[in-house]
Amino acid sequence: MQPKPLRITLAMIFAWILSNGKVTSFSALPTTSQFRPIRVWAESFHLIAQREYKSTRIRHATTHYSSSLDDSSIQVPSRSKSSEPVEFSSSPSNHGTKHVVVVGAGIGGLAVASRIAAANDDIKVTILEKNSQVGGRCGSFWVDIGNNLRIRHERGPSLLLLPETYRQLFAETTGKSADDYGLKMTTCVPAYQVVFEDGDRLSVGFPATATASDDSIRRMEQVSRAKMNSYEPNGAGKWDEYMDITSAYLDCGLPNFIEERLDLLSFPNFLMQSLKDSAKAWPLKPHSDVLDAIFDSDKLKALASFQDLYVGLEPYKNSDLFAGGVLQSTAPAVFGLLAAIELHPTNNKAGVFAPIGGFQAVTDAMERLANELGIKISCDTTVTAINKDGVHIRDTEGQRFLPADLVIVNADLPYASKSLLKEEQKPTGPTAERKSETMETYDWDEKFSFSSGVVSFHWSLDKRLEDLITHNVFLMAESRSKAEASWHVLRPPKQRIQTSVDKMSFNFYVHRPTATDPTAAPGGYDSIMVLVPCKTLLREEEFAKLPREKAMANYKLQFSDSVISEMRAAVLARLGTIETLSELEKHIIDEVVDTPASWANQFNLAAGTPFALSHGFAQLSLTRPGPKSSGLPNVLFCGASSRPGNGVPLVLIGAKQVAEMATKTIKTTKQSSG
């Protein structure tokens, strides 16, 4: 098939999918702002199809040559860790070694820098990080409880999904395994324990390989399936049906719309599952419409949709918004693929994992990789402004300008767009520095839609909490009204229920790492992290004009001690529905609390949300801000608020895409200047 027919065919299929078969070309899609994301999706799919066709031709042309090589003939160049200080010059290089500067040593920054360094021996790569350690919000911290004893807590991510995306980073840069860098991952079985407000509990996420080999796990699954059947007739069978549907969503959605890699073979099952039974599982319906068509029980509906929180959306149709809210705050049913990623028993992409040593082990492994590739990492270095020629920084030696041929911004995109990007040219001398380039500020672009904020309670305890597993979710499902109310924090501000925290329905997540990794706490002690969704920071225009420290002090006032106390009491009451946790407060020996204000202060997260931009259709896949959305030449974005989305696996996928784009850009620049 030639490129043009292939593009036309895929475009027609995609347009038809988006419109439930009612249109068959891009021109039939509406042009209003409400439908712009859909039109962009369809038109952009042309580009994916064209790119995949070209890469397929290249692969076919090189198959014969590649087959004559064995693995032993492949050599990956090695580099020693750079010990040179950051070098400063007056302008980007016009010849010789090109310089790439990465702003932010989060997961995205470490990954994109490593991929660029591995693919380009003649490129110098520098990472600038404002904090004293790398990793961003991905990492762990320790609490000293005396007698030389420590308890570990996760600062941000706590469950590991799509482990292959982690393994690929190491394999594709140095040919080594994740284990070689100290990253070991273990499966969590079951994946989750779900606790309802009446104290009812069941477990989900049993890989078929585990139930086949372990009698105790098989019995646990049987108990859970019996409980599903007690919620409604054939509840377990309906759950299986839902897993089959979401597995089809996953198999089609991951390659085609997240990795941007065309996979035609995934479409037949995707269409079959989407269209059967009068299209009851149509993927662009509000998630609740599909759940209502499959389940009768509010508990099973809650069980099937709690992952929507991770993408900053609610599962329930919002009748006050166009199309039930799927363009803004309501998750389309296709986000059921998150349930498949975590809970499907046989899909080879599925499973919930835990890194041994916590997510600090992930960060440490990636730092080792970067050091091995000769990347210069400069911590305690604050970037105050970015332009097309480089970055203004402040470190222990003062304020200065660091030129770069390419800048990759791993700082949160809405924050960086407003607070760091400058169209002005760099200063011509030491006395020409402008206040806008030297004063650090905190602001964000509020044209975007954001995920919820999060209040995190990190509790160190003097007893083991054996009734909690590694990952636990506490859900409201007593009635449809209470279930819907528990998600209102994700609705637009004017639609949120304004009630006291302890009287409001809410869902929350509890992480107990010692259930799979005993190194998190000494014997007789325990560690839990409680994540409670909350409002984000409310942007104040006048704060944008203040020095960063003063702005942060003002934003901190949006989360008073009384609000946090109410939230803590409400969480303890809900935990108390488990008998052994009824007096948990007596056993808390240390508490660390993170709020949207502290997330913003530590990591410069826009609106103080660790989940970044939400994933409504206006900010999903091809309609999400892309690498080139800075508007400045030689400046690219990567990270959770850019394409393809939030979560460590998606950030790693995005970093790979940005690294390929960066390498191509620099090579093109070299050729043109040569």
Side-chain angles (χ1 to χ4, degrees):
M1 183 178 288
Q2 296 300 311
K4 185 175 180 180
L6 178 62
R7 298 201 316 273
I8 292 175
T9 300
L10 265 296
M12 296 277 283
I13 290 173
F14 191 58
W16 182 75
I17 290 172
L18 288 174
S19 60
N20 201 6
K22 294 179 182 178
V23 298
T24 54
S25 69
F26 298 140
S27 60
L29 291 172
T31 57
T32 62
S33 60
Q34 291 174 328
F35 286 90
R36 181 180 176 276
I38 296 178
R39 189 179 182 92
V40 171
W41 268 44
E43 291 174 343
S44 299
F45 208 65
H46 275 301
L47 301 177
I48 298 175
Q50 185 179 32
R51 183 174 63 205
E52 183 66 18
Y53 176 78
K54 289 180 179 179
S55 65
T56 300
R57 290 185 65 187
I58 293 172
R59 287 197 300 270
H60 288 171
T62 59
T63 298
H64 176 73
Y65 174 76
S66 299
S67 64
S68 66
L69 300 176
D70 58 32
D71 291 341
S72 63
S73 67
I74 301 174
Q75 295 183 351
V76 180
S78 61
R79 301 184 181 200
S80 59
K81 180 178 178 181
S82 172
S83 58
E84 298 179 1
V86 178
E87 297 176 358
F88 302 93
S89 59
S90 59
S91 63
S93 57
N94 293 319
H95 58 277
T97 301
K98 296 293 184 180
H99 188 198
V100 175
V101 170
V102 179
V103 179
I107 291 298
L110 290 169
V112 73
S114 294
R115 286 189 175 277
I116 291 172
N120 304 275
D121 282 332
D122 56 346
I123 292 179
K124 175 185 176 182
V125 183
T126 301
I127 303 177
L128 306 176
E129 169 56 46
K130 82 176 191 71
N131 291 318
S132 59
Q133 69 286 323
V134 304
R137 54 195 181 273
C138 179
S140 312
F141 68 93
W142 292 86
V143 172
D144 189 345
I145 58 173
N147 297 320
N148 294 319
L149 299 177
R150 299 193 305 166
I151 293 177
R152 191 183 73 229
H153 295 271
E154 300 304 311
R155 176 67 70 186
S158 58
L159 54 89
L160 192 152
L161 306 175
L162 299 173
E164 193 59 28
T165 60
Y166 295 74
R167 298 185 185 109
Q168 287 172 355
L169 173 64
F170 301 99
E172 294 173 0
T173 52
T174 64
K176 299 179 183 179
S177 70
D179 280 6
D180 291 333
Y181 292 89
L183 177 56
K184 301 182 185 299
M185 298 169 275
T186 186
T187 309
C188 300
V189 182
Y192 282 97
Q193 175 179 228
V194 179
V195 185
F196 296 105
E197 70 268 44
D198 59 3
D200 187 21
R201 292 185 280 167
L202 82 162
S203 298
V204 288
F206 295 92
T209 53
T211 56
S213 60
D214 191 316
D215 289 341
S216 63
I217 292 176
R218 182 164 56 251
R219 286 192 294 271
M220 290 175 63
E221 183 189 35
Q222 291 170 349
V223 170
S224 290
R225 292 180 67 83
K227 186 157 287 189
M228 289 179 181
N229 288 332
S230 72
Y231 295 156
E232 64 176 274
N234 193 33
K238 293 179 179 180
W239 178 260
D240 294 340
E241 177 189 2
Y242 182 68
M243 284 289 101
D244 288 341
I245 292 168
T246 59
S247 183
Y249 292 165
L250 172 61
D251 288 340
C252 185
L254 181 62
N256 291 295
F257 306 114
I258 296 176
E259 298 176 337
E260 298 184 21
R261 172 179 58 82
L262 186 62
D263 182 4
L264 286 174
L265 295 180
S266 65
F267 277 94
N269 188 42
F270 172 77
L271 291 172
M272 182 190 73
Q273 293 290 348
S274 300
L275 294 173
K276 71 179 182 180
D277 298 334
S278 302
K280 74 176 183 181
W282 189 248
L284 303 187
K285 291 180 179 179
H287 202 170
S288 58
D289 283 2
V290 173
L291 298 175
D292 290 342
I294 297 173
F295 302 109
D296 296 319
S297 164
D298 286 319
K299 286 186 175 181
L300 286 178
K301 293 173 188 177
L303 187 65
S305 59
F306 67 83
Q307 293 92 349
D308 289 346
L309 174 64
Y310 305 157
V311 291
L313 302 171
E314 65 164 314
Y316 295 101
K317 177 191 290 186
N318 188 335
S319 299
D320 294 328
L321 298 177
F322 176 80
V326 294
L327 296 182
Q328 291 180 258
S329 59
T330 295
V334 71
F335 276 118
L337 65 83
L338 297 171
I341 288 177
E342 295 186 339
L343 307 176
H344 197 278
T346 59
N347 192 299
N348 61 11
K349 306 175 190 69
V352 172
F353 299 80
I356 300 302
F359 269 82
Q360 190 61 47
V362 175
T363 295
D364 289 346
M366 293 181 65
E367 185 177 14
R368 292 185 190 104
L369 174 66
N371 287 333
E372 182 177 321
L373 291 168
I375 295 167
K376 171 65 179 180
I377 301 175
S378 181
C379 291
D380 297 312
T381 303
T382 298
V383 173
T384 58
I386 299 169
N387 64 38
K388 67 181 183 63
D389 296 315
V391 298
H392 294 265
I393 68 171
R394 187 180 67 249
D395 59 12
T396 55
E397 297 183 22
Q399 187 82 28
R400 65 195 73 193
F401 182 78
L402 176 61
D405 298 281
L406 182 67
V407 178
I408 299 177
V409 184
N410 184 225
D412 197 26
L413 184 149
Y415 155 78
S417 298
K418 199 76 170 178
S419 301
L420 297 181
L421 297 187
K422 309 293 180 182
E423 294 183 0
E424 298 90 350
Q425 297 292 319
K426 68 181 187 345
T428 57
T431 62
E433 290 185 336
R434 302 174 181 86
K435 183 177 180 181
S436 64
E437 295 167 338
T438 59
M439 186 179 82
E440 188 181 3
T441 61
Y442 172 75
D443 193 18
W444 68 89
D445 192 338
E446 60 181 350
K447 74 181 179 184
F448 297 106
S449 297
F450 293 89
S451 301
S452 75
V454 172
V455 170
S456 304
F457 295 98
H458 303 275
W459 290 334
S460 299
L461 303 118
D462 62 4
K463 68 172 287 187
R464 288 279 184 170
L465 309 182
E466 302 296 348
D467 278 332
L468 295 177
I469 64 173
T470 307
H471 306 293
N472 311 265
V473 287
F474 287 70
L475 303 177
M476 299 290 294
E478 181 181 345
S479 65
R480 177 60 170 255
S481 61
K482 285 191 174 183
E484 289 197 30
S486 70
W487 289 86
H488 271 234
V489 70
L490 289 163
R491 292 202 166 186
K494 292 182 180 179
Q495 295 184 330
R496 292 175 186 163
I497 296 176
Q498 301 298 321
T499 60
S500 180
V501 173
D502 61 345
K503 296 179 181 178
M504 185 176 69
S505 298
F506 67 102
N507 306 313
F508 62 96
Y509 162 83
V510 180
H511 176 234
R512 178 177 171 250
T514 54
T516 48
D517 182 5
T519 66
Y525 294 87
D526 222 331
S527 163
I528 65 171
M529 172 179 67
V530 180
L531 297 183
V532 184
C534 67
K535 66 180 182 179
T536 62
L537 294 178
L538 178 63
R539 181 178 178 269
E540 298 288 351
E541 184 72 31
E542 59 268 27
F543 295 174
K545 304 171 186 177
L546 299 174
R548 185 179 183 279
E549 288 185 6
K550 291 184 178 180
M552 288 300 178
N554 282 302
Y555 278 121
K556 185 178 180 181
L557 299 177
Q558 293 187 7
F559 285 84
S560 65
D561 291 343
S562 61
V563 169
I564 300 302
S565 294
E566 287 183 355
M567 192 174 291
R568 180 189 299 107
V571 167
L572 289 167
R574 288 280 296 282
L575 288 169
T577 60
I578 299 176
E579 184 177 355
T580 58
L581 306 183
S582 60
E583 296 184 343
L584 185 64
E585 188 171 14
K586 296 179 180 179
H587 298 279
I588 299 175
I589 57 176
D590 187 85
E591 177 185 77
V592 175
V593 181
D594 287 320
T595 71
S598 59
W599 288 112
N601 186 40
Q602 189 163 0
F603 304 112
N604 281 330
L605 300 179
T609 171
F611 292 139
L613 298 186
S614 65
H615 291 71
F617 272 128
Q619 298 177 162
L620 178 63
S621 186
L622 301 173
T623 62
R624 198 171 182 83
K628 295 184 178 180
S629 59
S630 72
L632 295 177
N634 305 326
V635 177
L636 300 176
F637 276 113
C638 72
S641 284
S642 59
R643 194 179 300 158
N646 73 8
V648 177
L650 268 63
V651 169
L652 291 175
I653 291 170
K656 180 177 181 179
Q657 296 166 349
V658 173
E660 291 171 352
M661 184 180 299
T663 297
K664 182 178 179 181
T665 298
I666 289 179
K667 287 183 177 179
T668 301
T669 303
K670 281 186 175 183
Q671 292 171 357
S672 62
S673 62

